[in-house]
Amino acid sequence: MTDKPEAKESQIWGGRFSRGPSAIMEEINASIDTDRRLWREDIAGSKAHAHMLAACGIITDTDNAAIQNGLDQIAGEIERGEFAFSKALEDIHMNIEARLKEIIGEPAGRLHTARSRNDQVATDFRLWTRQVCGEAEAALKALMRALAKKADAHADAVMPGFTHLQTAQPVTFGHHLLAYVEMFSRDAGRFADARRRMNESPLGAAALAGTSFPIDRKQTAKALGFDRPCANSLDAVSARDFALEAVAAAAIAATHLSRLAEELVLWTSPHFGFVKLSDGFSTGSSIMPQKRNPDAAELVRAKTGRIAASFDTLLIVMKGLPLAYSKDMQEDKAATFEGFDALALALTAMTGMIDDLEPDRAAMKEAAGRGYSTATDLADWLVRTLNMPFRDAHRVTGAIVALAEGAGVPLDALALSDMQSVEPRIDENVYAVLSVEASVASRASYGGAAPSNVKREAERWLATLSKES
């Protein structure tokens, strides 16, 4: 029994071959299990292409009508789960074309006039990637709204700010959340930029050199929502930088999500106790009844690995490929699909957690007062009030912190006489800057953590996002 069956008429390239592909060749060559999700894009591209062929007099209106009706029928079958996908037909393009022939007969064979699977798949993939970039941008803005809303409600909730994960200076919970709003706004901008850059149509570039048929590429580009056709036929079928850019934007966004996820993991631990997540976003332990695990945050953190790996995979697939199309490029879609699937789930989960969480304002305020977080305020007071050079003020403050640490008291509880033992000119007015509330209130410079700033920025973001929704 041979593993090379006779070529079948259904093999679209079978005319050149006397024998069919081996079983392993069929297995490695087929992409239908991956690219079947491009069926909407494939049908949309085929409908636009057929309309254009008819408008240009390349096929008859009668054939075009049959093609349009047949493609609509196929779309319905796929929607209802009635379509039988075949691995022998390799990919989504030939599965649809073969079914179209079953439905309408000979006119189906005219659909592929003046195009190749090379420009067909490039068009489908651009359409899909353009769509998911828009979806990612919308999901990011939903997360930004959740963050801004929570920031507005807690603009004055004092919490410790950290550097090196060590207590640094007091900030507010609202200010901390707005930092992520800024990050995610840049992520949304990257997706918008990528979407704008990829919005050129490869359709009509054919295999690599264009076509001798008098087609109208501007018509198909407009019908599919592209700004213009790709200007170079080789580039049109070869380029995958549109997917690379999109997945790179996804990887950067996922990195930002992982940072926020890590903070939720820390904040929900008993050692921090800054926020609480409800049962809806927590899990328990099979052996330890007291446990409340922030599994959703941990899984968002882990999804970053999948998304970053998708970018690496796509980058390595494309490295060193000569123009125009190589079969290596069949591997581009699986990585892109997986990356965007993981990003969509992570964004949805993170938005749910932000909506769900409740901060413990008392615990955060108490933590903000630990670690001598108002030391910089003392140094600034020495500069402003005593006209002391900052480096001298830094040294004096360090000595005062050492005294407070030795006495086991916070700075605002240290005796004035102890401070004066280091710097005699310090007076009782210094205590006005040593509380955590006074510290954050003083940070009123543009972009600073003062509650008045935070409230204003949160409301500005909410208004901006409301207009964009």
Side-chain angles (χ1 to χ4, degrees):
M1 181 175 179
T2 180
D3 65 352
K4 294 183 178 181
E6 292 300 313
K8 302 175 183 177
E9 289 185 7
S10 60
Q11 286 288 356
I12 55 167
W13 40 265
R16 173 64 177 83
F17 295 79
S18 60
R19 304 173 79 91
S22 68
I24 191 62
M25 180 61 197
E26 183 174 285
E27 182 68 24
I28 197 173
N29 195 48
S31 62
I32 186 60
D33 290 342
T34 297
D35 63 26
R36 62 196 295 171
R37 71 192 294 173
L38 293 176
W39 68 266
R40 291 181 180 85
E41 291 77 14
D42 198 70
I43 288 175
S46 290
K47 287 172 71 70
H49 185 67
H51 277 312
M52 180 274 296
L53 291 176
C56 293
I58 298 169
I59 66 173
T60 67
D61 290 339
T62 301
D63 283 348
N64 179 38
I67 290 169
Q68 299 297 330
N69 291 334
L71 290 172
D72 287 340
Q73 180 177 328
I74 292 169
E77 291 173 356
I78 299 175
E79 285 277 12
R80 294 188 299 272
E82 299 169 357
F83 190 92
F85 292 98
S86 167
K87 186 166 286 190
L89 292 170
E90 295 184 16
D91 57 33
I92 187 61
H93 323 298
M94 297 317 304
N95 268 264
I96 289 174
E97 185 174 321
R99 176 61 180 142
L100 185 64
K101 185 176 181 181
E102 291 176 355
I103 296 170
I104 67 171
E106 183 184 88
R110 304 187 192 284
L111 173 59
H112 209 54
T113 306
R115 76 173 183 185
S116 160
R117 280 192 296 176
N118 292 357
D119 62 331
Q120 189 177 358
V121 69
T123 302
D124 292 358
F125 196 20
R126 281 199 191 223
L127 288 170
W128 187 90
T129 307
R130 185 181 70 184
Q131 174 69 21
V132 292
C133 280
E135 291 169 0
E137 183 183 356
L140 281 162
K141 288 180 178 178
L143 175 55
M144 291 164 63
R145 277 191 292 273
L147 287 162
K149 184 177 178 180
K150 199 69 73 171
D152 187 43
H154 300 286
D156 61 346
V158 178
M159 71 173 289
F162 299 95
T163 61
H164 308 278
L165 202 56
Q166 305 295 312
T167 301
Q169 293 176 276
V171 293
T172 73
F173 189 60
H175 190 62
H176 197 112
L177 296 183
L178 287 180
Y180 284 103
V181 174
E182 295 290 335
M183 288 186 198
F184 292 131
S185 73
R186 294 191 293 273
D187 291 325
R190 273 183 277 272
F191 282 116
D193 288 346
R195 196 171 188 271
R196 184 165 50 250
R197 238 183 312 278
M198 74 178 68
N199 207 32
E200 296 182 345
S201 174
L203 195 56
L208 74 163
T211 178
S212 59
F213 288 94
I215 62 173
D216 185 349
R217 293 188 62 209
K218 290 183 179 178
Q219 179 181 330
T220 50
K222 182 178 180 181
L224 295 170
F226 289 111
D227 293 331
R228 63 190 71 83
C230 296
N232 182 285
S233 60
L234 273 171
D235 177 56
V237 299
S238 303
R240 292 298 185 269
D241 56 339
F242 66 89
L244 275 166
E245 185 174 9
V247 181
I252 296 170
T255 302
H256 291 156
L257 285 169
S258 75
R259 297 183 72 177
L260 180 52
E262 169 66 6
E263 295 200 306
L264 291 181
V265 171
L266 292 172
W267 292 347
T268 54
S269 71
H271 303 288
F272 279 77
F274 289 178
V275 303
K276 294 179 181 178
L277 289 169
S278 75
D279 293 353
F281 286 93
S282 305
T283 64
S285 164
S286 64
I287 190 172
M288 295 170 285
Q290 83 281 9
K291 294 292 293 298
R292 289 181 61 85
N293 299 324
D295 282 9
E298 293 172 8
L299 289 166
V300 167
R301 186 176 59 186
K303 293 293 183 188
T304 305
R306 285 180 175 268
I307 299 165
S310 294
F311 175 69
D312 287 345
T313 298
L314 187 56
L315 194 67
I316 294 166
V317 165
M318 296 307 299
K319 176 199 171 294
L321 289 187
L323 301 182
Y325 183 84
S326 296
K327 196 69 171 185
D328 310 50
M329 292 162 71
Q330 184 167 289
E331 295 295 317
D332 56 4
K333 288 168 284 299
T336 306
F337 293 164
E338 182 172 10
F340 273 97
D341 287 348
L343 180 66
L345 184 55
L347 284 168
T348 301
M350 183 57 74
T351 303
M353 283 186 285
I354 295 301
D355 280 332
D356 181 78
L357 69 81
E358 284 300 326
D360 187 330
R361 294 167 68 104
M364 290 193 300
K365 180 180 175 182
E366 192 275 330
R370 295 198 299 263
Y372 305 100
S373 63
T374 58
T376 305
D377 298 277
L378 172 56
D380 289 346
W381 185 88
L382 294 171
V383 171
R384 285 194 310 270
T385 306
L386 304 184
N387 198 31
M388 189 179 290
F390 182 79
R391 285 300 170 203
D392 293 342
H394 189 285
R395 177 184 53 78
V396 168
T397 299
I400 292 172
V401 167
L403 284 177
E405 188 173 36
V409 296
L411 278 177
D412 59 355
L414 187 66
L416 179 60
S417 59
D418 288 332
M419 295 190 207
Q420 290 174 334
S421 71
V422 179
E423 172 50 63
R425 292 178 293 167
I426 295 176
D427 61 32
E428 65 279 356
N429 292 317
V430 73
Y431 290 103
V433 303
L434 296 183
S435 71
V436 291
E437 293 91 347
S439 176
V440 294
S442 72
R443 307 295 172 185
S445 59
Y446 180 76
S452 56
N453 282 6
V454 176
K455 189 77 173 174
R456 182 171 57 251
E457 278 300 291
E459 291 175 354
R460 181 185 70 80
W461 270 116
L462 287 169
T464 299
L465 292 165
S466 177
K467 290 177 185 175
E468 294 176 356
S469 62

